[in-house]
């Protein structure tokens, strides 16, 4: 549905409304350079810029989960986010050992 909406917007100049749900899986740890308090404002800036260049009315929803930079916690949170409803895109986890298993489970 989202792809169809974008194609109609590009080809016909039509306006349509859609929703993109994003999952943000980063640690809530102020000592890390990629913690939620540093990453979330950047996600907000990216959403604002995307709204400015798209010809569609998009409602962006960001669902956050604390990965704690722990492989077990990260994969558990990713699975909960994946099966709690529609998530169109995942950002994170950003910690080394959690990336591969999370990608295998939610990809």
């Amino acid at each position: 549905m989202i792809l169809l909406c974008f194609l109609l917007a590009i080809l016909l100049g039509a306006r349509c409304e859609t929703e993109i749900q994003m999952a943000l899986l980063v640690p809530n740890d102020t000592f890390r350079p990629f913690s939620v308090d540093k990453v979330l404002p950047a996600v907000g800036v990216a959403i604002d810029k995307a709204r400015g260049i798209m010809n569609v009315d998009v409602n962006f929803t960001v669902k956050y989960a604390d990965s704690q930079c722990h492989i077990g916690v990260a994969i558990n949170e990713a699975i909960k986010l994946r099966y709690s409803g529609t998530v169109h895109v995942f950002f994170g986890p950003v910690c080394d050992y959690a990336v591969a298993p999370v990608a295998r489970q939610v990809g």
Side-chain angles (χ1 to χ4, degrees):
M1 181 65 180
I2 293 172
L3 181 59
L4 177 63
C5 183
F6 286 125
L7 289 174
L8 288 173
I10 292 169
L11 298 175
L12 304 175
R15 295 192 64 81
C16 54
E17 187 175 323
T18 190
E19 181 176 10
I20 297 176
Q21 294 189 17
M22 301 181 292
L24 182 62
L25 190 58
V26 294
N28 187 11
D29 180 356
T30 58
F31 297 110
R32 298 185 188 274
F34 41 78
S35 61
V36 69
D37 60 332
K38 296 174 183 138
V39 173
L40 198 54
V43 170
V45 168
I47 288 171
D48 290 342
K49 287 191 179 214
R51 280 191 183 121
I53 62 172
M54 293 190 306
N55 191 28
V56 292
D57 295 323
V58 179
N59 180 26
F60 290 94
T61 304
V62 180
K63 297 178 179 182
Y64 163 73
D66 183 5
S67 70
Q68 299 177 18
C69 275
H70 185 275
I71 189 171
V73 173
I75 200 162
N76 186 39
E77 292 296 330
I79 291 170
K80 286 195 298 189
L81 284 167
R82 172 67 177 92
Y83 293 104
S84 68
T86 304
V87 174
H88 299 107
V89 62
F90 271 83
F91 292 102
V94 294
C95 302
D96 296 342
Y97 295 112
V99 174
V102 168
R104 283 191 294 269
Q105 292 298 318
V106 300

